Amino acid sequence: MEYIQAFWVGGLICALVQILLEKTKLMPGRVMVLLVCTGSVLGSLGIYDRIIDFAGAGASVPLLGFGNTLFKGVKKAVLEHGFLGIFMGGFTASAVGISSALIFGYLASLIFKPKMKN
C-alpha cells in the first residue's frame, strides 16, 4: 500500500506542476523556485511532514520535498549555531542530494556523450 500512496501523491504533485506550466506563462525555472519555496513554507507550518508520513518518497522526492529539507536544515542549524545557522543549514541538509545529482550527472555524461543545444 505504501507504494500506491507514494505513486499517486507523487503523480498528483507532478500533474499539478504540469498544469501550472501549461496554463500559465511561468518559465520552468520560476516554477521550480516556486515549488522549493512552497515546500519550505509547508514545512515551516508542519504540514509537509504529515504529507511525507503518508506518502513517503512520493512527497519527499519532488522539489517540494527539497524545500522542506532545506527548511529543516536551516531550523536545526539556527537552533545549534544561532544567526549563522541561517546561512549554513540549507547546505548541510541538502549536501548529499546535491552531491549525488552532480556525481550521477557526470557519470551519465561520460556514458551518453552530451551535446550542446543549437
Side-chain angles (χ1 to χ4, degrees):
M1 194 64 177
E2 291 177 29
Y3 295 124
I4 293 171
Q5 289 171 331
F7 179 78
W8 78 261
V9 171
L12 179 65
I13 291 170
C14 292
L16 292 173
V17 171
Q18 189 63 40
I19 291 169
L20 184 66
L21 284 168
E22 296 290 328
K23 298 295 181 185
T24 66
K25 294 183 179 186
L26 291 173
M27 300 297 290
R30 291 184 184 200
V31 172
M32 289 192 294
V33 169
L34 179 67
L35 289 169
V36 172
C37 292
T38 303
S40 296
V41 170
L42 290 175
S44 68
L45 297 173
I47 297 170
Y48 209 73
D49 286 334
R50 285 185 261 162
I51 296 171
I52 289 175
D53 289 341
F54 174 75
S60 63
V61 171
L63 283 175
L64 290 168
F66 181 67
N68 185 46
T69 300
L70 289 176
F71 167 74
K72 285 181 180 178
V74 170
K75 181 180 175 184
K76 180 180 174 188
V78 166
L79 292 174
E80 292 175 1
H81 304 289
F83 180 75
L84 290 177
I86 294 171
F87 304 105
M88 59 193 274
F91 292 116
T92 56
S94 62
V96 172
I98 293 172
S99 298
S100 299
L102 290 171
I103 291 167
F104 289 117
Y106 176 71
L107 292 175
S109 72
L110 292 176
I111 295 169
F112 295 107
K113 299 183 185 175
K115 299 176 190 159
M116 296 296 291
K117 282 187 170 183
N118 292 329

